[in-house]
Amino acid sequence: MMPSAAVQESFDVYSVRKHFPILNREVKGKPLVYFDNAASSQKPQVVIDALVNYYTGFNANIHRGIHSLAEEATAAYEATRDAAAQYINSPSREQIIFTRGTTEGINLVAQTWGRQNVKKGDEIIISTMEHHSNIVPWYILAQEKDAVLKVIPVSETGELIFEEYEKLLSDKTKIVAIGHASNSLGTINPVKKIIQKAHAAGAVVLVDGAQSSVHLDINVQDLDCDFFVFSSHKMYGPTGVGVLYGKYNLLETMPVYQGGGEMIKEVEFGRIIYNDLPYKYEAGTPNIADTVALKAAIDFVSQIGKENIRKHESELLAYATNQLQQVPGLKIYGRAKDKVSLVSFVVEKVHPQDLGILLDNRGVAVRTGHHCTQPLMDFFCIPGTTRASFAMYNTIEEIDILVDGLQRAIKKLA
Ligand code: PLP
């Protein structure tokens, strides 16, 4: 079942599907068509095996034991740090902090770097298309500090209006927190350009990579971002673990996040010396099993090949866009030139939730609602969309099933 060690030369979606046992199941008597990948992707057998192997082979707490199991568990946990560092081209493993996921990564930065650096009257820039995870932590910080949250507007096609962003920047801007790719629209934002402009204004930049880390090649050094966060579960890994990357000098000088075991070197009641990076930000027993299994996901994606995956997903996106826009009364939201592989749409006179239920009856899993981007839905004056988001294992035939299911559903509902 393992892919070969080298990147697969040719991409065969039917071979890829064999790695994902869940794809064999049926829903409501129909083969599962899983198009909710932007919410969470399915797991290949190698990831499931990594979890089982950890618990059956070498489960122990890490970093503190000197017995063999503790050493093996520590080595496996730390091997994921190396794999994650390589995955995003971090200059060092010390700059990889394990978190619960993207949400915790953003909260960590807001509560540490943010609390230390954002003062009354300072400005924080986000965008209209941010996920709530990249809005709420900054809102909390702005409230606490009496700082100002500024929002980059988007166009009707679902792209950031860059000139407006430039106008928002000033010497009051302390941080720009921006999604690399939109979970609701698919838009890939020009983060490198955004970072250059922010740096010229003296601000730091956090990139929310929840939707990009699975689809795009991530090179944090080339981007020159100050922070980059992502979640394992959206890139074929387990839930409950994610990564925060930060520039070394920032991570080193930021105050600590949570207090507890492992994040300290010495504790006296009147004096505590905190641990070095990356452990300074990893208080308590971490999510060892899922972190260990994240390496299996990273290796799996690397072996299939990001380039192969991107090409396949682009074909799915082009085909789905073309087929869906022929459905009468259907409007696609998010028509940016550069998109990750998802399509969000609304059908005239049909509530997305009703569509979702009828599609589920045909075995098709799509996401309906505001996708945790309420301000974006408000901008488009809609309550929500239906979203089909694709992964490496989806096929053209599955898109045909979606479109057929939609047409039948519309006949019933419209
Ligand atoms: N940011 C974006 C763009 C997302 O799509 C998501 C999840 O859907 C998140 C942040 C939050 O990720 P998590 O729930 O894994 O912390």
Side-chain angles (χ1 to χ4, degrees), residues 152-168:
I152 311 168
V154 298
S155 66
E156 278 298 317
T157 57
E159 289 161 291
L160 293 180
I161 305 175
F162 201 81
E163 308 79 75
E164 295 298 323
Y165 163 59
E166 287 180 291
K167 284 187 210 156
L168 293 180

Side-chain angles (χ1 to χ4, degrees), residues 171-187:
D171 56 3
K172 289 188 186 153
T173 313
K174 285 290 167 308
I175 186 161
V176 177
I178 193 82
H180 200 169
S182 158
N183 64 308
S184 292
L185 306 172
T187 313

Side-chain angles (χ1 to χ4, degrees), residues 100-256:
R100 264 192 317 120
T102 304
T103 303
E104 189 178 41
I106 298 170
N107 277 281
L108 192 158
V109 175
Q111 290 300 312
T112 57
W113 187 92
R115 274 187 160 166
Q116 187 179 50
N117 292 285
V118 175
K119 309 266 176 332
K120 187 174 166 94
D122 284 344
E123 294 174 358
I124 300 163
I125 298 182
I126 56 173
S127 88
T128 308
M129 69 171 84
E130 296 315 307
H131 188 280
H132 295 166
S133 296
N134 201 27
I135 300 175
V136 185
W138 305 114
Y139 173 89
I140 294 170
L141 179 69
Q143 292 268 302
E144 183 186 316
K145 296 290 185 171
D146 215 358
V148 183
L149 204 54
K150 296 217 152 173
V151 184
I152 311 168
V154 298
S155 66
E156 278 298 317
T157 57
E159 289 161 291
L160 293 180
I161 305 175
F162 201 81
E163 308 79 75
E164 295 298 323
Y165 163 59
E166 287 180 291
K167 284 187 210 156
L168 293 180
L169 286 165
S170 77
D171 56 3
K172 289 188 186 153
T173 313
K174 285 290 167 308
I175 186 161
V176 177
I178 193 82
H180 200 169
S182 158
N183 64 308
S184 292
L185 306 172
T187 313
I188 299 173
N189 287 320
V191 284
K192 197 167 169 179
K193 248 170 71 184
I194 289 171
I195 293 163
Q196 282 165 354
K197 291 284 172 192
H199 285 171
V204 303
V205 181
L206 176 141
V207 176
D208 170 355
Q211 295 296 335
S212 63
S213 55
V214 62
H215 300 294
L216 309 179
D217 269 328
I218 307 297
N219 184 339
V220 289
Q221 294 186 66
D222 180 54
L223 289 177
D224 198 26
C225 54
D226 301 281
F227 300 104
F228 188 93
V229 288
F230 63 95
S231 300
S232 146
H233 71 99
K234 292 185 195 286
M235 41 177 277
Y236 311 106
T239 52
V241 57
V243 167
L244 160 67
Y245 156 85
K247 282 193 177 154
Y248 198 94
N249 61 326
L250 296 177
L251 291 176
E252 208 175 34
T253 49
M254 273 154 46
V256 293

